[in-house]
């Protein structure tokens, strides 16, 4: 009985793979939406642009804060700006102690 069940399951692997992908994407979108609805302060979606004439990828972000910003602690996190690529260095090495604010 078990072998027949496994054969039937494997026979529909394309459908199962599609279903798993759809549920994973839905889970990610629902998580983002839930955070956006419950966040203190504004949240945004990134804007992707074509590479500049200077060539190479560029990443620019303003007012970043960790998405797990602990509800009820408004003002406890300092927003960060970052520029990577273009005229800025292409990467940074960020070090520090645990709980030292590297992700916030």
């Amino acid at each position: 009985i078990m072998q027949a069940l496994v054969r039937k399951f494997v026979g529909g692997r394309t459908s199962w793979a599609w279903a798993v992908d759809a549920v994973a994407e839905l889970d990610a979108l629902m998580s983002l939406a839930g955070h956006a609805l419950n966040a203190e302060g504004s949240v945004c979606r990134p804007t992707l642009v074509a590479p500049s004439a200077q060539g190479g990828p560029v990443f620019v972000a303003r007012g970043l804060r960790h998405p797990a910003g602990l509800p009820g602690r408004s003002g406890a996190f300092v927003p960060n700006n970052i520029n990577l690529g273009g005229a800025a260095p292409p990467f940074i090495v960020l070090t520090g102690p645990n709980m030292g604010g590297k992700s916030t």
Side-chain angles (χ1 to χ4, degrees), residues 56-94:
V58 175
F59 177 76
V60 177
R62 301 277 177 255
L64 293 177
R65 60 186 172 85
H66 196 282
L70 299 176
R73 294 189 54 187
S74 183
F77 289 95
V78 176
N80 294 298
N81 299 332
I82 188 163
N83 296 322
L84 297 175
F91 66 93
I92 60 172
V93 177
L94 186 60

Side-chain angles (χ1 to χ4, degrees), residues 11-62:
R13 69 178 163 262
T14 303
S15 296
W16 286 112
W18 179 87
V20 167
D21 287 344
V23 169
E25 187 170 342
L26 183 60
D27 180 50
L29 292 172
M30 288 174 60
S31 178
L32 291 170
H35 174 71
L37 289 171
N38 295 307
E40 289 184 11
S42 63
V43 295
C44 67
R45 187 172 43 140
T47 301
L48 303 176
V49 296
S52 66
Q54 297 119 352
V58 175
F59 177 76
V60 177
R62 301 277 177 255

Side-chain angles (χ1 to χ4, degrees), residues 1-17:
I1 295 175
M2 190 64 160
Q3 288 179 347
L5 184 60
V6 168
R7 274 193 291 272
K8 189 169 185 144
F9 179 80
V10 170
R13 69 178 163 262
T14 303
S15 296
W16 286 112

